[in-house]
Amino acid sequence: MIEKKYYTVTDRATLELLVQHIKESEYIAYDTETNSLNVRKGKIIGFSVSGDEGIGFYMPTMVWDRNKEELVECEIDGHGCHALAKKTLSLLHGKKLIMHNASFDGRFTKNFYGEDLIPSLHADTALLVHTVKEEGAFGFGGKPFGLKEIAIMVQREIGLDIETKANEEQLILKENIKRNGGSITKTNYEIYKADLNILSEYAAADTDLTLRIFNHFSKVLIEENLVDFFYVDEVMPIYKEVTIPMEEFGVKVDLDLLQKTKIDIEADLLKHSKLVAEELLKIDDVRAWVIQTAVASYPCNNKGTYAQKLCDLESIDLPKSDKSNKYVLNKASLLTLPESAIKDFLISGDEKFLPQNTRLKVSLELWKEENEGKFFNIQSKDQLGKIAFDVLGVTPLSSTTKGKAQFDDDMIESISKDHPWAENLRVYNKLLKVKSTYVDRFFDRHEDGRYYFYFKQNGTVSGRYGSDMQQLPKPKEDGEAAPIIVHYNNVVRAFLIAEEGRILIDCDYESLEPHCFASVTGDENLREIFNKNHDFYSTVAIRTEKLEGVSADKKADNFLKKVDPVRRNRAKAYSLGIAYGMESFALSKTLDISQKEADVLVKGYLDGFPDLKRWREESRKFVKEHGYISNKVGRIRHLPSVKKIHDLMGDAILDWRARKDLEDQYGREQVTNVYRDYRNGLNNCLNYQLQSLAAAVVNRAAVAINRELIKRGIDGRVQAQVHDQLVVNVPEEYAHEVAEFVQDLMENTTKLEGVTLKAPPAIAKNFRDGH
DNA sequence: TAATCTCGCGCC
DNA sequence: AAAGGGCGCGAGATTA
């Protein structure tokens, strides 16, 4: 029996104790300490395990050598600790491992030691907590799914006063790292520079905590009846079989195309910025504004930057100080100069000695330096706003929260017809966005030609992924925007490619959320749309507006999309929006129609689909009574404030007349907040049911696809997921075989009552051409 | 200077 | 009186 405490494994006897502890334990919490957050490039400096609450082992494999200023490998009895660690870790296969963010520790361990522990992963505590408490330890002063934050949230339940303890430990650790010359900034947290005894305590405590959190939330999982949901149907299978492999595999980047695009787009940016500046500087008032602003920002002065710049521009022969490399401008130094107007100015500070053009030149030069050599900064909304509103007399469309006239895309758009500079600015802004968000990111952060996207399985309340892949620009058709914008917009997805000899099966669900919507609401009119293979938005428009003589049949001559595309597009704007709680006010804004007209649409829509209306009412009633809502596959969204508010005051808060009384009782701000919470909750409960179901459909299909690939012995995997799209990466020769079963599995893995799903596959060499 | 917040825009 | 959901990113403003 091992005593309850934490051990540091630096000798043979303790190592044997650790081995014994592993062998005796079934559930083991595991964690790594590393010198980097990059799982492919970093080093493991130690790992910790806990097989029992109160017990923790930390085995250091590398320690910071303060003299050498580097990490050196530890030894036990003359044996290197990396080899010993690998051997010890191999004992973990077949155990039930508990980790917190296993994708990190699991991939790190596999890369560094060649030990793949993921098959033995039993539970990830970050996901476990997310499953029963989807917002995590929100409001506990840090990351909602951070180990410490979670521990603090449940410290009473797990019998630890972790809050004070963790804070103390953090302080000691940080102090210690600093003393050893390490950095403790968030972006560069050099934990590996801490003293071994401190690091060890910290690491062992972490696995102990992980195990306690697992034990506690396992009970909650049972209470909430989510055991199968977590272990069998969704969370852990997705994590082990899809999420971690996706993060591990990454995506190949077309470096040649990237390189070429980088050069091209930089040239085009320069060209357009010049065009903007040229057009603007043709205007007298703008030129005057530049000078006036430059002088105001850098007024004439015989000291400081102005004087320095003056000497520079006029090549004044003065000595420079060694330290700052600046001209020495004290009196003694100045007196050595030959007589000149500038000398008089520098000594007296009286600007009358300087010719006006010299005075202005210096101010302008300094102003231009601030703006990277330009007369103004076209990336500065502030400067452009001043030019547009104050100089050119453009009328603002809107103002910021602080009341300043807003110079946003809408503004630019609205004046681009009359102002050529604005049109060029629009192009410039679009291109800059593409360059900074995608070109630079892929270029700077690819590793040997691969980019590793992240897929955070606990990133959303609905079970969707949080990922940096989700807003890759969708391909635009010619004519949708200026040709140059279309070009650069569309090149982004083409950066992401299949490897030599491999191919992508790119498969999107056809209107997945509307399908979920038709199924969940039980509305026959909605279900019929898909079963008849009609056009969704056309049908919605026809029923809502009671249109006659038009059809939602895609093949009919009077197909609405052909004869009245405007009406169909309007339906696009509200068909899901209204289901999620949108009202006439917001609809009138998005469609740019009167609120009365919008009101007719909202009423028409709800009347046209009576079961949808009923579903909205029933869902809201349920949340008011129970404080949570579940989706069709059992994932839960807690909305306790709705129940709380409803218990307290019923629906009075929704009635503005009743609100007046409530304001007297509770105060105005309080009532406003309560109103917002209540309203949000009542809308969330609608959206959640559909969005989370759609996520489950896609994720479960992904698991099924990876299993099928393994079963058939095909070297392939789901490589990426973007909400309702899966990208499967396989050897070229399997393209058609895989495409066939990918479609089948996406359409049939999760059956939605009353509708059949459609997911036609495309075969492509990159992430663009499948669309 | 770095961390954090807010805004506007991209995606579904 | 206030009036659709879920995200991530860059840039600028603000705070420590």
Side-chain angles (χ1 to χ4, degrees):
Chain A
M1 193 54 198
I2 288 162
E3 207 188 323
K4 300 237 166 198
K5 64 173 213 173
Y6 297 159
Y7 299 83
T8 308
V9 183
T10 49
D11 57 66
R12 174 63 62 183
T14 318
L15 178 58
E16 275 164 20
L17 215 53
L18 166 60
V19 168
Q20 182 199 341
H21 183 61
I22 290 175
K23 285 183 175 165
E24 283 172 356
S25 305
E26 184 184 8
Y27 293 89
I28 299 177
Y30 170 75
D31 186 32
T32 56
E33 301 303 331
T34 68
N35 73 335
S36 163
L37 292 178
N38 185 315
V39 300
R40 293 163 295 276
K41 295 180 171 171
K43 290 178 175 144
I44 289 181
I45 63 165
F47 68 89
S48 50
V49 299
S50 292
D52 258 315
E53 291 188 10
I55 297 178
F57 286 83
Y58 178 67
M59 175 161 178
T61 54
M62 304 184 88
V63 289
W64 183 249
D65 186 318
R66 279 161 79 173
N67 297 322
K68 289 190 191 158
E69 296 236 317
E70 63 179 23
L71 284 167
V72 294
E73 188 180 349
C74 308
E75 284 183 6
I76 293 177
D77 291 352
H79 298 283
C81 278
H82 283 320
L84 291 174
K86 180 175 164 60
K87 208 174 149 193
T88 310
L89 291 177
S90 71
L91 300 173
L92 293 175
H93 297 306
K95 299 289 180 182
K96 290 182 172 163
L97 299 182
I98 318 296
M99 305 187 207
H100 196 78
N101 292 325
S103 183
F104 177 82
D105 300 283
R107 286 183 295 141
F108 223 124
T109 305
K110 185 176 172 188
N111 290 335
F112 196 71
Y113 285 127
E115 296 293 332
D116 186 1
L117 299 177
I118 295 304
S120 303
L121 177 65
H122 176 68
D124 184 284
T125 41
L127 298 185
L128 175 60
V129 173
H130 178 254
T131 302
V132 295
K133 201 166 173 21
E134 65 281 355
E135 305 213 42
F138 180 73
F140 284 82
K143 294 171 286 184
F145 293 97
L147 190 67
K148 300 282 188 301
E149 286 79 5
I150 291 167
I152 291 168
M153 174 174 67
V154 292
Q155 56 181 350
R156 259 190 228 124
E157 290 87 334
I158 61 177
L160 289 175
D161 178 17
I162 193 70
E163 189 159 9
T164 39
K165 194 162 158 265
N167 287 340
E168 278 168 22
E169 280 174 358
Q170 278 295 335
L171 278 179
I172 293 169
L173 182 70
K174 282 183 177 174
E175 278 308 308
N176 186 251
I177 296 170
K178 267 200 286 191
R179 208 174 47 230
N180 291 343
S183 155
I184 54 163
T185 63
K186 212 168 183 183
T187 41
N188 184 27
Y189 196 78
E190 297 177 314
I191 195 173
Y192 56 90
K193 290 188 179 174
D195 290 346
L196 176 58
N197 60 334
I198 290 172
L199 182 57
S200 175
E201 178 80 12
Y202 179 85
D206 267 7
T207 44
D208 184 11
L209 264 192
T210 304
L211 194 64
R212 287 171 194 257
I213 287 170
F214 169 72
N215 288 338
H216 170 70
F217 280 99
S218 291
K219 284 180 272 177
V220 182
L221 200 63
I222 294 167
E223 286 162 16
E224 298 257 350
N225 201 19
L226 286 166
V227 174
D228 278 355
F229 181 82
F230 183 74
Y231 287 109
V232 182
D233 298 326
E234 194 157 325
V235 182
M236 287 309 296
I238 290 168
Y239 196 49
K240 291 167 71 168
E241 298 174 54
V242 179
T243 306
I244 295 175
M246 284 197 300
E247 291 195 325
E248 180 177 27
F249 192 65
V251 183
K252 185 174 168 68
V253 176
D254 186 337
L255 290 181
D256 293 337
L257 181 62
L258 189 59
Q259 177 78 51
K260 185 185 171 307
T261 306
K262 185 176 161 68
I263 292 167
D264 290 349
I265 202 168
E266 279 168 0
D268 280 323
L269 277 166
L270 190 63
K271 191 172 113 191
H272 282 84
S273 69
K274 277 184 178 159
L275 285 171
V276 174
E278 268 171 30
E279 297 286 353
L280 277 171
L281 290 169
K282 280 182 194 161
I283 304 164
D284 292 342
D285 290 346
V286 174
R287 287 203 303 277
W289 178 86
V290 170
I291 292 167
Q292 184 198 328
T293 312
V295 171
S297 306
Y298 299 97
C300 192
N301 194 321
N302 67 336
K303 304 223 157 37
T305 48
Y306 187 96
Q308 291 289 331
K309 182 50 74 181
L310 173 68
C311 295
D312 221 20
L313 289 174
E314 298 296 318
S315 314
I316 301 298
D317 190 21
L318 274 174
K320 287 187 171 180
S321 80
D322 295 341
K323 258 188 277 172
S324 59
N325 197 33
K326 281 179 179 165
Y327 294 103
V328 180
L329 295 174
N330 59 36
K331 198 144 193 186
S333 167
L334 290 172
L335 285 171
T336 64
L337 287 174
E339 293 307 314
S340 72
I342 291 171
K343 176 180 179 178
D344 294 339
F345 163 72
L346 284 172
I347 291 173
S348 67
D350 191 336
E351 62 177 62
K352 74 172 185 229
F353 290 108
L354 280 185
Q356 194 195 16
N357 64 341
T358 311
R359 276 209 313 264
L360 295 183
K361 190 168 72 178
V362 177
S363 293
L364 257 182
E365 209 46 46
L366 287 166
W367 170 249
K368 280 171 76 175
E369 271 177 22
E370 183 187 318
N371 294 299
E372 295 179 344
K374 310 281 170 30
F375 286 106
F376 38 75
N377 177 6
I378 67 167
Q379 283 173 245
S380 164
K381 285 188 197 305
D382 190 53
Q383 287 182 29
L384 290 174
K386 281 180 181 141
I387 291 174
F389 304 128
D390 301 348
V391 181
L392 302 177
V394 172
T395 314
L397 291 175
S398 57
S399 50
T400 62
T401 42
K402 289 194 181 126
K404 216 171 70 174
Q406 196 150 34
F407 193 78
D408 57 11
D409 275 17
D410 276 354
M411 186 71 237
I412 299 171
E413 162 102 49
S414 76
I415 59 174
S416 60
K417 280 198 195 79
D418 303 329
H419 299 265
W421 62 272
E423 176 57 25
N424 282 313
L425 179 65
R426 213 151 71 90
V427 174
Y428 178 88
N429 284 345
K430 289 277 182 202
L431 264 50
L432 186 66
K433 182 93 179 174
V434 169
K435 176 178 143 43
S436 58
T437 311
Y438 301 105
V439 178
D440 290 348
R441 173 143 58 107
F442 293 151
F443 198 83
D444 296 341
R445 306 218 303 253
H446 76 85
E447 295 174 35
D448 299 324
R450 295 190 84 78
Y451 187 86
Y452 296 90
F453 292 94
Y454 67 84
F455 293 91
K456 224 163 56 179
Q457 205 174 310
N458 55 4
T460 75
V461 289
S462 66
R464 276 183 170 187
Y465 284 112
S467 170
D468 56 350
M469 183 182 255
Q470 68 184 20
Q471 73 275 40
L472 287 176
K474 65 172 180 191
K476 285 192 194 305
E477 305 273 344
D478 286 340
E480 254 185 88
I484 188 168
I485 292 176
V486 174
H487 168 73
Y488 284 114
N489 179 77
N490 291 3
V491 83
V492 173
R493 278 171 181 256
F495 292 146
L496 307 173
I497 58 174
E499 300 77 0
E500 193 71 27
R502 300 183 71 86
I503 197 92
L504 309 175
I505 315 300
D506 191 327
C507 214
D508 281 36
Y509 283 96
E510 279 180 5
S511 47
L512 179 57
E513 249 177 71
H515 275 78
C516 292
F517 176 42
S519 175
V520 169
T521 58
D523 193 297
E524 275 310 318
N525 295 325
L526 286 169
R527 291 180 176 184
E528 203 184 76
I529 302 173
F530 300 114
N531 295 331
K532 281 188 176 165
N533 198 22
H534 277 181
D535 179 61
F536 179 71
Y537 300 116
S538 296
T539 314
V540 169
I542 290 167
R543 287 197 74 88
T544 300
E545 304 199 51
K546 300 184 185 65
L547 304 177
E548 284 173 18
V550 287
S551 168
D553 187 339
K554 296 168 191 166
K555 279 172 249 135
D557 289 336
N558 57 350
F559 180 29
L560 187 70
K561 192 178 178 181
K562 278 196 294 193
V563 298
D564 194 351
V566 175
R567 279 213 151 74
R568 179 184 179 272
N569 278 338
R570 293 207 325 200
K572 234 175 169 171
Y574 62 75
S575 54
L576 282 175
I578 293 175
Y580 297 157
M582 185 189 227
E583 292 186 5
S584 57
F585 175 82
L587 185 58
S588 71
K589 296 269 181 218
T590 44
L591 290 180
D592 203 16
I593 58 177
S594 75
Q595 199 169 337
K596 267 193 181 156
E597 291 171 276
D599 206 44
V600 172
L601 289 177
V602 174
K603 287 212 170 64
Y605 185 57
L606 292 175
D607 290 343
F609 298 94
D611 287 330
L612 157 66
K613 191 176 175 183
R614 197 163 41 79
W615 167 78
R616 281 188 10 153
E617 286 160 6
E618 280 171 4
S619 298
R620 286 173 164 171
K621 185 160 170 270
F622 186 92
V623 176
K624 287 173 193 172
E625 277 171 23
H626 298 96
Y628 74 90
I629 192 94
S630 302
N631 73 2
K632 283 273 178 188
V633 294
R635 187 184 282 278
I636 294 175
R637 170 85 159 111
H638 297 86
L639 295 161
S641 60
V642 173
K643 177 172 156 59
K644 229 180 279 170
I645 295 166
H646 188 259
D647 286 349
L648 198 64
M649 51 181 83
D651 279 341
I653 191 86
L654 293 176
D655 179 347
W656 68 272
R657 280 166 299 234
R659 275 182 61 180
K660 289 265 180 249
D661 301 333
L662 291 169
E663 277 176 15
D664 294 340
Q665 203 178 337
Y666 296 101
R668 196 193 170 114
E669 207 188 320
Q670 181 83 352
V671 171
T672 306
N673 289 338
V674 168
Y675 174 83
R676 198 192 46 229
D677 286 354
Y678 197 55
R679 179 98 211 172
N680 280 351
L682 290 178
N683 287 340
N684 277 339
C685 87
L686 304 176
N687 170 271
Y688 169 80
Q689 293 181 70
L690 312 181
Q691 195 175 95
S692 67
L693 180 60
V697 166
V698 184
N699 289 336
R700 290 170 185 217
V703 172
I705 290 165
N706 275 351
R707 288 181 182 173
E708 187 65 22
L709 286 162
I710 290 170
K711 195 171 123 196
R712 296 187 186 215
I714 298 172
D715 167 32
R717 63 197 56 68
V718 173
Q719 176 175 36
Q721 191 255 51
V722 191
H723 300 142
D724 58 359
Q725 170 195 11
L726 291 175
V727 179
V728 187
N729 179 304
V730 293
E732 244 160 357
E733 61 267 33
Y734 293 105
H736 290 97
E737 179 188 343
V738 175
E740 200 172 301
F741 72 70
V742 163
Q743 175 170 19
D744 177 47
L745 290 171
M746 285 177 77
E747 292 176 352
N748 297 310
T749 298
T750 306
K751 292 285 192 188
L752 296 184
E753 195 186 334
V755 292
T756 42
L757 293 169
K758 287 211 181 58
I763 296 171
K765 285 295 281 182
N766 62 40
F767 275 53
R768 181 189 61 196
D769 298 341
H771 285 262

